[in-house]
Amino acid sequence: MDHRAETQRAQGALAMLRCAHRFPGITRAEAAARLGLSSGSAADIMSRLRQARLLAEAPAPQTGGRGRPTTALVPHPEGPLVAVVDISHATWTVTTAAIGGTLAPAAAHRHLGLPAETVLPSVRDALAALHGPRLRAVAVAIPGTVHGHTLVEATNLRWRGVDLRALTDLPLAVGNDASLAGVAEALRGAARDASVALHLTVEVGVGGVLIVDGRPVLGASGAGGEFGHLPFGDPARHCPCGAWGCWDLEVDGRAMARHAGRRAPADPRAYAERTIAAARSGDPDAVAACRATATALGRGIGALLNAVDPAVVTLGGLGADLLSVAAPALHAGVRRGAMAWRRDDLPPVLPAALGSTGPAIGAAESAMALVLTEQTVKV
Ligand SMILES: [Zn+2]
């Protein structure tokens, strides 16, 4: 076969592989239609992908009864895997995902208050235990500012300047947890198919990402998306990041404690959870604290609508809880922050669909992006 035909076949195989990953359970007929392939070409590509142990086929459930039976594209039982490390403010997990993005179950290990030097060797050991010919890439989701493979700063974990390259010798992607959750929502969650989506996660402070056509906009060095450090707060208030007046300080447990006339809580995430639970059971002080915090969250969202004009906004973490417990305050905040001409046609503000698994699902996507390349299908 000449070189050009070979290149076309490799591109067709890669497109089919990406299609099977993007749309788990898609049938061969649907994939062929989506990719503009004849059924003969699709069968030829599938036989190649099966031989390369990348995809397999399973009987597809019959719909209707008309048309010839078709098969669903599924991961090959010996196919590639990626490892996903999800480090949250209090726990870490290591798991794997196959083509299609489904995460294997994983046990959570607590690390609250421990330094990186103590935690990361255990993570490295857990990754080493997964090593084998099927494991092709690793991705890490972490709650902090990421630059390349380095965690610049995670104020919440009190980790700073941590090089995560030491975790593995495999191809590695490292991402901020809120950004990865946004990628997951845009590909597989509440913002699926939106051309431009804004995702915000509130935990301690607020992080997020703008997603355009399924891809995160992370800036020149990958450190963008620090929406919590926009000056939507009180300019007299100093943020741990070094700036003044950050939005972070208005939307989480620290703000709730201030509204209740209390001192800054040691664990703002836990304080916020307790306040939201108390608000749900009708405690008037907790309701007032949640409303004030939801309004501040809404005002910032309104300002961001002016700046980036998303088709949908998704809220994760405490943001989703504030939306459920204080929706009118949050929406009123959005309206007050948005320019008047926008108010008749505001985009929907929705709770994230993937919950706390969002960062890991997004990390699996970034690791799988390192695997689904022409190199992989060159067989
Ligand atoms: Zn700040």
Side-chain angles (χ1 to χ4, degrees), residues 141-186:
I142 196 155
T145 306
V146 172
H147 183 200
H149 291 137
T150 301
L151 171 71
V152 179
E153 182 172 43
T155 45
N156 205 356
L157 303 177
R158 299 197 181 89
W159 295 6
R160 185 184 286 237
V162 180
D163 184 2
L164 296 162
R165 184 67 266 183
L167 284 177
T168 180
D169 298 327
L170 288 168
L172 175 70
V174 181
N176 168 271
D177 59 348
S179 300
L180 291 170
V183 170
E185 289 298 328

Side-chain angles (χ1 to χ4, degrees), residues 5-21 35 37 41-42 44-50 52 54-55 73 99 372-374 376-379:
E6 184 52 40
T7 304
Q8 276 179 351
R9 281 183 58 158
Q11 285 170 348
L14 180 58
M16 183 81 93
L17 192 57
R18 286 179 172 159
C19 192
H21 175 63
L35 301 174
L37 297 168
S41 299
D44 178 49
I45 287 172
M46 260 317 295
S47 115
R48 194 181 160 109
L49 289 169
R50 203 181 309 109
L54 291 167
L55 284 183
L73 309 186
I99 286 169
L372 300 182
T373 66
E374 290 203 12
T376 299
V377 295
K378 247 183 216 167
V379 285

